[in-house]
Amino acid sequence: MTIELHTWNTPNGRKISVALEEMGLAYRVIPVDITKGAQMAPAFLAISPNNKIPAIVDPDGPDGHPVSVFESGAILLYLAEKTGQFLPKSLAGRIPVYEWLMWQMGGFGPMPGQVHHFIALENEQDRAYGLKRYMAETVRLYGVLDRRLASHEFVAGDLSIADFAILGWAWRHPRHKVDLADFPHVKRWYDTLMARPAVKRGMEAKLD
């Protein structure tokens, strides 16, 4: 059965298209044009109560019943549980996946997202304050990631949904004004993931 992916061409949307491709799940994209307020439509609100993309509808959910899931982190966990892929079986193995998934959700997403906001402002004074504040934190987070990847091939050991979550935002590093050459371990990890055929398909999937 085909999963519906309600999304737009954003880092959070790319997390899910990459995961779906890596997991070999059939899906079809239903674009939600956030530039025109489509995320506020009642039909989308019914599956995403926070009016944010992405959301999925799986016609073959638990016990064979349809289910909708919103919030990209929750979607990744659901898909990993559904397929038994990219999430270790043991609790000890899951802990770093949970840690780095939450690290992305709480920091390496909201902070670069603020950079996206302020860099687009026309008022130079407003831009300067916001960029100084949020770019410094974004660069710090890249440093945290670089230190982790200095001793780990992937963020949580084996390739996991945490990598897919972080990759969605690292994909936008040019927009963050971050040169991955300054973070060699992140660059190695990024290039490794982007070379994977399923990741490439997920990144090239038309989401808008």
Side-chain angles (χ1 to χ4, degrees), residues 53-79:
I53 58 97
I56 65 168
V57 176
D58 183 1
D60 185 26
D63 300 318
H65 300 300
V67 67
S68 61
V69 187
F70 73 103
E71 288 293 328
S72 60
I75 295 169
L76 288 171
L77 287 168
Y78 168 75
L79 294 174

PDB file of all heavy atoms in Angstrom, residues 53-79:
ATOM      1  N   ILE A  53       4.155  21.049   7.998  1.00  0.00           N
ATOM      2  CA  ILE A  53       4.559  19.886   7.194  1.00  0.00           C
ATOM      3  C   ILE A  53       5.846  19.335   7.789  1.00  0.00           C
ATOM      4  O   ILE A  53       6.580  20.062   8.471  1.00  0.00           O
ATOM      5  CB  ILE A  53       4.748  20.266   5.699  1.00  0.00           C
ATOM      6  CG1 ILE A  53       5.797  21.375   5.521  1.00  0.00           C
ATOM      7  CG2 ILE A  53       3.444  20.694   5.097  1.00  0.00           C
ATOM      8  CD1 ILE A  53       7.144  20.855   5.181  1.00  0.00           C
ATOM      9  N   PRO A  54       6.122  18.044   7.591  1.00  0.00           N
ATOM     10  CA  PRO A  54       5.354  17.072   6.833  1.00  0.00           C
ATOM     11  C   PRO A  54       4.365  16.314   7.711  1.00  0.00           C
ATOM     12  O   PRO A  54       4.421  16.388   8.942  1.00  0.00           O
ATOM     13  CB  PRO A  54       6.446  16.114   6.332  1.00  0.00           C
ATOM     14  CG  PRO A  54       7.427  16.095   7.464  1.00  0.00           C
ATOM     15  CD  PRO A  54       7.436  17.501   8.010  1.00  0.00           C
ATOM     16  N   ALA A  55       3.506  15.562   7.036  1.00  0.00           N
ATOM     17  CA  ALA A  55       2.627  14.586   7.691  1.00  0.00           C
ATOM     18  C   ALA A  55       2.482  13.425   6.727  1.00  0.00           C
ATOM     19  O   ALA A  55       2.677  13.595   5.513  1.00  0.00           O
ATOM     20  CB  ALA A  55       1.270  15.197   8.014  1.00  0.00           C
ATOM     21  N   ILE A  56       2.188  12.259   7.255  1.00  0.00           N
ATOM     22  CA  ILE A  56       1.955  11.105   6.386  1.00  0.00           C
ATOM     23  C   ILE A  56       0.607  10.479   6.718  1.00  0.00           C
ATOM     24  O   ILE A  56       0.090  10.631   7.828  1.00  0.00           O
ATOM     25  CB  ILE A  56       3.054  10.028   6.496  1.00  0.00           C
ATOM     26  CG1 ILE A  56       3.071   9.389   7.899  1.00  0.00           C
ATOM     27  CG2 ILE A  56       4.418  10.591   6.117  1.00  0.00           C
ATOM     28  CD1 ILE A  56       3.923   8.119   7.997  1.00  0.00           C
ATOM     29  N   VAL A  57       0.065   9.788   5.740  1.00  0.00           N
ATOM     30  CA  VAL A  57      -1.085   8.916   5.948  1.00  0.00           C
ATOM     31  C   VAL A  57      -0.671   7.538   5.447  1.00  0.00           C
ATOM     32  O   VAL A  57      -0.293   7.380   4.276  1.00  0.00           O
ATOM     33  CB  VAL A  57      -2.330   9.411   5.193  1.00  0.00           C
ATOM     34  CG1 VAL A  57      -3.475   8.399   5.374  1.00  0.00           C
ATOM     35  CG2 VAL A  57      -2.752  10.786   5.688  1.00  0.00           C
ATOM     36  N   ASP A  58      -0.701   6.563   6.343  1.00  0.00           N
ATOM     37  CA  ASP A  58      -0.346   5.192   5.995  1.00  0.00           C
ATOM     38  C   ASP A  58      -1.621   4.357   5.987  1.00  0.00           C
ATOM     39  O   ASP A  58      -2.226   4.139   7.047  1.00  0.00           O
ATOM     40  CB  ASP A  58       0.652   4.631   7.015  1.00  0.00           C
ATOM     41  CG  ASP A  58       1.114   3.222   6.670  1.00  0.00           C
ATOM     42  OD1 ASP A  58       0.672   2.681   5.637  1.00  0.00           O
ATOM     43  OD2 ASP A  58       1.920   2.656   7.437  1.00  0.00           O
ATOM     44  N   PRO A  59      -2.066   3.893   4.818  1.00  0.00           N
ATOM     45  CA  PRO A  59      -3.300   3.095   4.769  1.00  0.00           C
ATOM     46  C   PRO A  59      -3.151   1.730   5.428  1.00  0.00           C
ATOM     47  O   PRO A  59      -4.148   1.086   5.741  1.00  0.00           O
ATOM     48  CB  PRO A  59      -3.568   2.956   3.266  1.00  0.00           C
ATOM     49  CG  PRO A  59      -2.238   3.109   2.630  1.00  0.00           C
ATOM     50  CD  PRO A  59      -1.475   4.082   3.491  1.00  0.00           C
ATOM     51  N   ASP A  60      -1.902   1.316   5.640  1.00  0.00           N
ATOM     52  CA  ASP A  60      -1.627   0.023   6.278  1.00  0.00           C
ATOM     53  C   ASP A  60      -0.916   0.271   7.600  1.00  0.00           C
ATOM     54  O   ASP A  60       0.236  -0.090   7.798  1.00  0.00           O
ATOM     55  CB  ASP A  60      -0.771  -0.841   5.348  1.00  0.00           C
ATOM     56  CG  ASP A  60      -0.544  -2.238   5.912  1.00  0.00           C
ATOM     57  OD1 ASP A  60      -1.388  -2.708   6.694  1.00  0.00           O
ATOM     58  OD2 ASP A  60       0.494  -2.843   5.575  1.00  0.00           O
ATOM     59  N   GLY A  61      -1.625   0.904   8.512  1.00  0.00           N
ATOM     60  CA  GLY A  61      -1.060   1.228   9.814  1.00  0.00           C
ATOM     61  C   GLY A  61      -1.156   0.069  10.791  1.00  0.00           C
ATOM     62  O   GLY A  61      -1.360  -1.084  10.395  1.00  0.00           O
ATOM     63  N   PRO A  62      -1.020   0.359  12.079  1.00  0.00           N
ATOM     64  CA  PRO A  62      -1.093  -0.699  13.089  1.00  0.00           C
ATOM     65  C   PRO A  62      -2.379  -1.513  12.965  1.00  0.00           C
ATOM     66  O   PRO A  62      -3.469  -0.951  12.768  1.00  0.00           O
ATOM     67  CB  PRO A  62      -1.051   0.084  14.409  1.00  0.00           C
ATOM     68  CG  PRO A  62      -0.317   1.340  14.069  1.00  0.00           C
ATOM     69  CD  PRO A  62      -0.742   1.679  12.676  1.00  0.00           C
ATOM     70  N   ASP A  63      -2.240  -2.826  13.040  1.00  0.00           N
ATOM     71  CA  ASP A  63      -3.379  -3.758  12.930  1.00  0.00           C
ATOM     72  C   ASP A  63      -4.115  -3.619  11.604  1.00  0.00           C
ATOM     73  O   ASP A  63      -5.300  -3.940  11.487  1.00  0.00           O
ATOM     74  CB  ASP A  63      -4.359  -3.546  14.093  1.00  0.00           C
ATOM     75  CG  ASP A  63      -3.701  -3.767  15.452  1.00  0.00           C
ATOM     76  OD1 ASP A  63      -2.920  -4.734  15.573  1.00  0.00           O
ATOM     77  OD2 ASP A  63      -3.955  -2.971  16.371  1.00  0.00           O
ATOM     78  N   GLY A  64      -3.401  -3.083  10.598  1.00  0.00           N
ATOM     79  CA  GLY A  64      -3.993  -2.967   9.272  1.00  0.00           C
ATOM     80  C   GLY A  64      -4.927  -1.795   9.086  1.00  0.00           C
ATOM     81  O   GLY A  64      -5.587  -1.693   8.043  1.00  0.00           O
ATOM     82  N   HIS A  65      -5.005  -0.916  10.080  1.00  0.00           N
ATOM     83  CA  HIS A  65      -5.896   0.244   9.990  1.00  0.00           C
ATOM     84  C   HIS A  65      -5.135   1.483   9.509  1.00  0.00           C
ATOM     85  O   HIS A  65      -3.959   1.656   9.855  1.00  0.00           O
ATOM     86  CB  HIS A  65      -6.528   0.540  11.350  1.00  0.00           C
ATOM     87  CG  HIS A  65      -7.345  -0.596  11.898  1.00  0.00           C
ATOM     88  ND1 HIS A  65      -8.437  -1.108  11.240  1.00  0.00           N
ATOM     89  CD2 HIS A  65      -7.224  -1.317  13.043  1.00  0.00           C
ATOM     90  CE1 HIS A  65      -8.960  -2.093  11.946  1.00  0.00           C
ATOM     91  NE2 HIS A  65      -8.228  -2.248  13.051  1.00  0.00           N
ATOM     92  N   PRO A  66      -5.783   2.358   8.761  1.00  0.00           N
ATOM     93  CA  PRO A  66      -5.118   3.598   8.327  1.00  0.00           C
ATOM     94  C   PRO A  66      -4.710   4.442   9.524  1.00  0.00           C
ATOM     95  O   PRO A  66      -5.392   4.460  10.561  1.00  0.00           O
ATOM     96  CB  PRO A  66      -6.197   4.307   7.500  1.00  0.00           C
ATOM     97  CG  PRO A  66      -7.158   3.232   7.109  1.00  0.00           C
ATOM     98  CD  PRO A  66      -7.155   2.251   8.239  1.00  0.00           C
ATOM     99  N   VAL A  67      -3.598   5.155   9.375  1.00  0.00           N
ATOM    100  CA  VAL A  67      -3.128   6.025  10.446  1.00  0.00           C
ATOM    101  C   VAL A  67      -2.447   7.239   9.828  1.00  0.00           C
ATOM    102  O   VAL A  67      -1.841   7.141   8.754  1.00  0.00           O
ATOM    103  CB  VAL A  67      -2.144   5.281  11.390  1.00  0.00           C
ATOM    104  CG1 VAL A  67      -0.844   4.932  10.660  1.00  0.00           C
ATOM    105  CG2 VAL A  67      -1.846   6.096  12.641  1.00  0.00           C
ATOM    106  N   SER A  68      -2.602   8.381  10.477  1.00  0.00           N
ATOM    107  CA  SER A  68      -1.856   9.570  10.072  1.00  0.00           C
ATOM    108  C   SER A  68      -0.858   9.904  11.172  1.00  0.00           C
ATOM    109  O   SER A  68      -1.106   9.639  12.355  1.00  0.00           O
ATOM    110  CB  SER A  68      -2.795  10.760   9.819  1.00  0.00           C
ATOM    111  OG  SER A  68      -3.515  11.102  10.991  1.00  0.00           O
ATOM    112  N   VAL A  69       0.282  10.458  10.769  1.00  0.00           N
ATOM    113  CA  VAL A  69       1.337  10.820  11.717  1.00  0.00           C
ATOM    114  C   VAL A  69       1.873  12.191  11.327  1.00  0.00           C
ATOM    115  O   VAL A  69       2.184  12.430  10.153  1.00  0.00           O
ATOM    116  CB  VAL A  69       2.503   9.799  11.711  1.00  0.00           C
ATOM    117  CG1 VAL A  69       3.503  10.115  12.829  1.00  0.00           C
ATOM    118  CG2 VAL A  69       1.993   8.375  11.832  1.00  0.00           C
ATOM    119  N   PHE A  70       1.971  13.090  12.299  1.00  0.00           N
ATOM    120  CA  PHE A  70       2.563  14.397  12.032  1.00  0.00           C
ATOM    121  C   PHE A  70       3.804  14.574  12.905  1.00  0.00           C
ATOM    122  O   PHE A  70       4.047  13.781  13.814  1.00  0.00           O
ATOM    123  CB  PHE A  70       1.551  15.532  12.263  1.00  0.00           C
ATOM    124  CG  PHE A  70       1.234  15.834  13.706  1.00  0.00           C
ATOM    125  CD1 PHE A  70       1.798  16.940  14.327  1.00  0.00           C
ATOM    126  CD2 PHE A  70       0.355  15.039  14.444  1.00  0.00           C
ATOM    127  CE1 PHE A  70       1.494  17.250  15.659  1.00  0.00           C
ATOM    128  CE2 PHE A  70       0.048  15.330  15.761  1.00  0.00           C
ATOM    129  CZ  PHE A  70       0.627  16.444  16.373  1.00  0.00           C
ATOM    130  N   GLU A  71       4.603  15.602  12.595  1.00  0.00           N
ATOM    131  CA  GLU A  71       5.913  15.893  13.184  1.00  0.00           C
ATOM    132  C   GLU A  71       6.971  14.945  12.615  1.00  0.00           C
ATOM    133  O   GLU A  71       6.857  13.721  12.721  1.00  0.00           O
ATOM    134  CB  GLU A  71       5.904  15.831  14.711  1.00  0.00           C
ATOM    135  CG  GLU A  71       5.176  16.977  15.381  1.00  0.00           C
ATOM    136  CD  GLU A  71       5.879  18.319  15.173  1.00  0.00           C
ATOM    137  OE1 GLU A  71       7.134  18.361  15.074  1.00  0.00           O
ATOM    138  OE2 GLU A  71       5.174  19.342  15.090  1.00  0.00           O
ATOM    139  N   SER A  72       7.988  15.519  12.012  1.00  0.00           N
ATOM    140  CA  SER A  72       8.974  14.716  11.272  1.00  0.00           C
ATOM    141  C   SER A  72       9.683  13.690  12.149  1.00  0.00           C
ATOM    142  O   SER A  72       9.941  12.566  11.699  1.00  0.00           O
ATOM    143  CB  SER A  72       9.994  15.623  10.590  1.00  0.00           C
ATOM    144  OG  SER A  72      10.697  16.422  11.527  1.00  0.00           O
ATOM    145  N   GLY A  73       9.995  14.043  13.386  1.00  0.00           N
ATOM    146  CA  GLY A  73      10.645  13.075  14.270  1.00  0.00           C
ATOM    147  C   GLY A  73       9.744  11.899  14.577  1.00  0.00           C
ATOM    148  O   GLY A  73      10.188  10.742  14.582  1.00  0.00           O
ATOM    149  N   ALA A  74       8.481  12.174  14.825  1.00  0.00           N
ATOM    150  CA  ALA A  74       7.517  11.107  15.090  1.00  0.00           C
ATOM    151  C   ALA A  74       7.336  10.226  13.852  1.00  0.00           C
ATOM    152  O   ALA A  74       7.208   9.006  13.956  1.00  0.00           O
ATOM    153  CB  ALA A  74       6.172  11.696  15.523  1.00  0.00           C
ATOM    154  N   ILE A  75       7.336  10.847  12.676  1.00  0.00           N
ATOM    155  CA  ILE A  75       7.195  10.079  11.438  1.00  0.00           C
ATOM    156  C   ILE A  75       8.388   9.139  11.264  1.00  0.00           C
ATOM    157  O   ILE A  75       8.225   7.962  10.923  1.00  0.00           O
ATOM    158  CB  ILE A  75       7.066  11.021  10.230  1.00  0.00           C
ATOM    159  CG1 ILE A  75       5.762  11.833  10.317  1.00  0.00           C
ATOM    160  CG2 ILE A  75       7.103  10.238   8.918  1.00  0.00           C
ATOM    161  CD1 ILE A  75       5.668  12.975   9.319  1.00  0.00           C
ATOM    162  N   LEU A  76       9.594   9.640  11.509  1.00  0.00           N
ATOM    163  CA  LEU A  76      10.781   8.801  11.382  1.00  0.00           C
ATOM    164  C   LEU A  76      10.726   7.614  12.338  1.00  0.00           C
ATOM    165  O   LEU A  76      11.041   6.479  11.966  1.00  0.00           O
ATOM    166  CB  LEU A  76      12.038   9.621  11.629  1.00  0.00           C
ATOM    167  CG  LEU A  76      12.425  10.610  10.524  1.00  0.00           C
ATOM    168  CD1 LEU A  76      13.560  11.508  10.988  1.00  0.00           C
ATOM    169  CD2 LEU A  76      12.803   9.885   9.243  1.00  0.00           C
ATOM    170  N   LEU A  77      10.331   7.868  13.575  1.00  0.00           N
ATOM    171  CA  LEU A  77      10.235   6.784  14.553  1.00  0.00           C
ATOM    172  C   LEU A  77       9.157   5.781  14.132  1.00  0.00           C
ATOM    173  O   LEU A  77       9.358   4.562  14.233  1.00  0.00           O
ATOM    174  CB  LEU A  77       9.931   7.346  15.935  1.00  0.00           C
ATOM    175  CG  LEU A  77      11.098   8.059  16.626  1.00  0.00           C
ATOM    176  CD1 LEU A  77      10.617   8.836  17.844  1.00  0.00           C
ATOM    177  CD2 LEU A  77      12.184   7.056  17.039  1.00  0.00           C
ATOM    178  N   TYR A  78       8.035   6.280  13.654  1.00  0.00           N
ATOM    179  CA  TYR A  78       6.963   5.384  13.208  1.00  0.00           C
ATOM    180  C   TYR A  78       7.441   4.495  12.067  1.00  0.00           C
ATOM    181  O   TYR A  78       7.234   3.269  12.076  1.00  0.00           O
ATOM    182  CB  TYR A  78       5.742   6.198  12.771  1.00  0.00           C
ATOM    183  CG  TYR A  78       4.717   5.354  12.043  1.00  0.00           C
ATOM    184  CD1 TYR A  78       3.895   4.471  12.731  1.00  0.00           C
ATOM    185  CD2 TYR A  78       4.614   5.399  10.648  1.00  0.00           C
ATOM    186  CE1 TYR A  78       2.980   3.661  12.063  1.00  0.00           C
ATOM    187  CE2 TYR A  78       3.698   4.603   9.971  1.00  0.00           C
ATOM    188  CZ  TYR A  78       2.886   3.729  10.689  1.00  0.00           C
ATOM    189  OH  TYR A  78       1.986   2.923  10.016  1.00  0.00           O
ATOM    190  N   LEU A  79       8.079   5.097  11.070  1.00  0.00           N
ATOM    191  CA  LEU A  79       8.529   4.328   9.915  1.00  0.00           C
ATOM    192  C   LEU A  79       9.598   3.302  10.302  1.00  0.00           C
ATOM    193  O   LEU A  79       9.617   2.182   9.785  1.00  0.00           O
ATOM    194  CB  LEU A  79       9.059   5.266   8.835  1.00  0.00           C
ATOM    195  CG  LEU A  79       8.023   6.196   8.187  1.00  0.00           C
ATOM    196  CD1 LEU A  79       8.716   7.169   7.234  1.00  0.00           C
ATOM    197  CD2 LEU A  79       6.944   5.406   7.452  1.00  0.00           C
TER     198      LEU A  79
END
